[in-house]
């Protein structure tokens, strides 16, 4: 066989090239999953974590004692997990709006216990915020709708399109569906710009 130089490199089979790309992509995905955003692989301090290592590799009495101690250390005591108030993962803005709910949770924690107080802390803020937003929208829709004077204040719910009545249909052309209130935004209830000589699009 002759030496392979740059001039006579055999062509690569396209199927082999696609297979190499697929394997390389799978390897990158596997590495990204293991590293979890870091440049390095996670460090596992568990001795002989895999059963095949304990069976295939030399597993001495010292290794067996180290693994037994590791398993005992995984059992939490009555005081664990330890809650350190000074250590928090939330920023200053989240701490501000979390403060009232934390205070309420601390009040009910002696009665509910640590487990159910955690559920209470998770559910109550969502219920309170959801109800507050619902009531706010409902108040603006029912009691403070937008008018022709202040169109951007309040919320008005009305039909997007004016209903259509054609000749031959009942009530044409004086059907109650063709109300003049469509799109008026209470313009007909105004107390100004009224007069016999004032020409407007409303009554």
């Amino acid at each position: 066989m002759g030496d392979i130089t740059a001039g006579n490199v055999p062509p690569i089979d396209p199927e082999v090239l696609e297979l190499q790309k697929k394997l390389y992509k799978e390897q990158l995905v596997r590495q990204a999953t293991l590293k979890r955003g870091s440049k390095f692989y996670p460090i596992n301090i568990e001795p002989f974590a895999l059963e095949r290592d304990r069976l295939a590799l030399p597993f001495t009495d010292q290794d067996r004692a180290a693994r037994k101690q590791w398993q005992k250390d995984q059992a939490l005591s009555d005081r664990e997990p330890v809650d350190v108030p000074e250590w928090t993962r939330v920023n200053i803005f989240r701490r501000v709006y979390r403060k009232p709910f934390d205070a309420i949770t601390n009040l009910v924690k002696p009665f509910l216990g640590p487990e159910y107080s955690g559920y209470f802390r998770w559910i109550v803020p969502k219920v309170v915020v959801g109800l507050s937003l619902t009531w706010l929208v409902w108040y603006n829709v029912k009691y403070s709708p937008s008018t022709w004077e202040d169109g951007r204040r309040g919320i008005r719910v009305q039909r997007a399109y004016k209903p259509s009545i054609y000749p031959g249909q009942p009530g044409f052309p004086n059907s109650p569906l063709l109300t003049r209130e469509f799109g008026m935004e209470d313009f007909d209830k105004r107390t100004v710009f009224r007069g016999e000589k004032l020409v407007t699009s409303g009554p």
Side-chain angles (χ1 to χ4, degrees):
M1 297 178 62
D3 296 335
I4 298 177
T5 60
N8 58 357
V9 176
I12 301 177
D13 190 354
E15 295 183 359
V16 175
L17 185 60
E18 289 297 327
L19 181 60
Q20 290 178 347
K21 291 181 179 179
K22 182 179 179 181
L23 294 176
Y24 179 68
K25 183 178 180 181
E26 292 178 355
Q27 183 181 5
L28 291 180
V29 173
R30 192 179 301 110
Q31 289 181 357
T33 304
L34 292 175
K35 294 181 180 179
R36 299 180 181 179
S38 175
K39 296 188 299 183
F40 309 100
Y41 287 99
I43 299 176
N44 187 8
I45 62 175
E46 179 181 359
F48 293 89
L50 300 178
E51 183 179 3
R52 63 181 181 181
D53 292 342
R54 298 193 293 271
L55 297 177
L57 299 178
F59 195 55
T60 63
D61 293 339
Q62 294 180 351
D63 298 333
R64 186 173 288 103
R67 177 157 182 82
K68 182 178 180 181
Q69 184 63 40
W70 162 268
Q71 292 179 338
K72 290 177 60 177
D73 293 340
Q74 305 313 303
L76 300 180
S77 64
D78 296 337
R79 59 181 294 271
E80 293 177 314
V82 180
D83 184 19
V84 182
E86 292 78 9
W87 183 73
T88 177
R89 296 183 180 181
V90 296
N91 54 43
I92 182 63
F93 303 103
R94 293 184 61 189
R95 287 201 296 268
V96 168
Y97 76 77
R98 285 167 59 98
K99 207 69 173 179
F101 301 110
D102 291 339
I104 297 175
T105 304
N106 292 333
L107 291 177
V108 301
K109 192 172 184 178
F111 307 99
L112 299 180
E115 181 179 359
Y116 290 102
S117 62
Y119 298 148
F120 179 86
R121 176 63 181 83
W122 187 84
I123 294 174
V124 168
K126 296 172 177 56
V127 174
V128 171
V129 173
L131 284 177
S132 301
L133 293 177
T134 303
W135 290 337
L136 178 63
V137 172
W138 176 250
Y139 176 84
N140 282 274
V141 169
K142 186 174 183 179
Y143 300 105
S144 181
S146 61
T147 63
W148 67 281
E149 295 180 299
D150 46 13
R152 294 189 177 183
R153 188 181 67 184
I155 302 174
R156 176 176 291 273
V157 179
Q158 61 183 9
R159 294 187 298 269
Y161 301 97
K162 189 174 183 179
S164 301
I165 300 295
Y166 301 100
Q169 292 182 344
F172 180 85
N174 299 318
S175 173
L177 295 178
L178 297 177
T179 173
R180 300 193 66 181
E181 296 179 358
F182 177 80
M184 293 290 288
E185 295 186 352
D186 295 339
F187 182 74
D188 54 335
K189 300 178 182 179
R190 67 191 183 279
T191 57
V192 295
F193 299 122
R194 286 184 175 274
E196 297 179 355
K197 298 182 180 180
L198 182 63
V199 179
T200 65
S201 59

